[in-house]
Every structure is written in C-alpha cells, then in structure tokens.
Amino acid sequence: MSEYENIAQRYIDSWNEQDAGKRKAVIDELYTADVVFTDPLVHVEGTEAIDAMVAGAQQQFAGLEFSLGPVDGHHDIARFTWYLGAPGAEEPMVVGFDVLALADGRIARVLGFLDKVPA
C-alpha cells in the first residue's frame, strides 16, 4: 500500500468510526490543527469542525458505510474516489471524489466533489 493509499484509507476509516472518542483521536492524528475542508455542502476549518461534520454525516446516513476507490498521488497531493452505501450493496447511494493536500504526512486541506447523490 502506498503512502497515499494509506492516508486515504485512514481518512475513510475516520468517516466510519462510530465511537466518538476514537473518531476524535483519529481525526486529531490524521489532520493538521488548521485543516480546511471544502465540498459542495460545507466549508469548515479545524479538527473540531471536521469531527462535528463527520458526526453529523454519520447521523444523517446511519447504517451506511464509506469505502475507498482508486487512489493516486504525488508531491503530497492525493486524489481518490469514495463510495457511501449499505454494507454489501451492489450500488452505492453516493459517489464522491476527494483531493487531499498533505503537510508533514497529515491532511492539511480537503477538496471534495460529489459525483452521484440521491435524487
């Protein structure tokens, strides 16, 4: 597994972690303190805001799980497709594409895109 695949998988794992304390610890380790996250639905800054956003997504999409698609990266930039759906489902409910900018091996910026959303 490349360093980019590793950090992308850890990113996905943080979205799936249901234990609030464990999730916050993963987020604090994975992201820089001043991380900026931007996607079509939200723009937040800092690990506290990231944790609150992930907790909200977990409530909104209870019972669904994120999974990782293909990952590519170079020069401290990673890009990948992700999926959100019921465990074992053939078709995901949501498909997205994220770009991570890394600083010293941690996520400093997330740029997210939504490729497929429910109607």
Side-chain angles (χ1 to χ4, degrees):
M1 181 178 290
S2 76
E3 68 177 297
Y4 300 109
E5 290 168 324
N6 182 47
I7 202 154
Q9 186 60 60
R10 291 172 55 216
Y11 172 84
I12 293 297
D13 292 345
S14 74
W15 284 85
N16 287 328
E17 179 55 64
Q18 296 293 314
D19 181 281
K22 288 180 183 177
R23 183 184 61 243
K24 181 67 169 93
V26 169
I27 287 171
D28 286 342
E29 178 185 315
L30 188 58
Y31 295 87
T32 62
D34 59 348
V35 60
V36 176
F37 182 106
T38 306
D39 74 10
L41 304 175
V42 68
H43 174 87
V44 298
E45 298 181 21
T47 56
E48 295 291 332
I50 296 278
D51 185 49
M53 176 189 60
V54 171
Q58 288 177 348
Q59 289 177 346
Q60 182 178 1
F61 299 107
L64 303 181
E65 290 182 356
F66 287 89
S67 60
L68 183 61
V71 179
D72 188 23
H74 62 82
H75 295 91
D76 290 330
I77 303 290
R79 65 179 184 156
F80 54 90
T81 300
W82 54 263
Y83 309 98
L84 176 65
E90 288 186 28
E91 283 291 318
M93 189 169 92
V94 181
V95 178
F97 183 89
D98 286 1
V99 177
L100 309 179
L102 309 178
D104 298 321
R106 296 169 74 196
I107 301 170
R109 177 90 192 205
V110 180
L111 300 170
F113 299 85
L114 298 172
D115 298 327
K116 175 187 171 189
V117 294

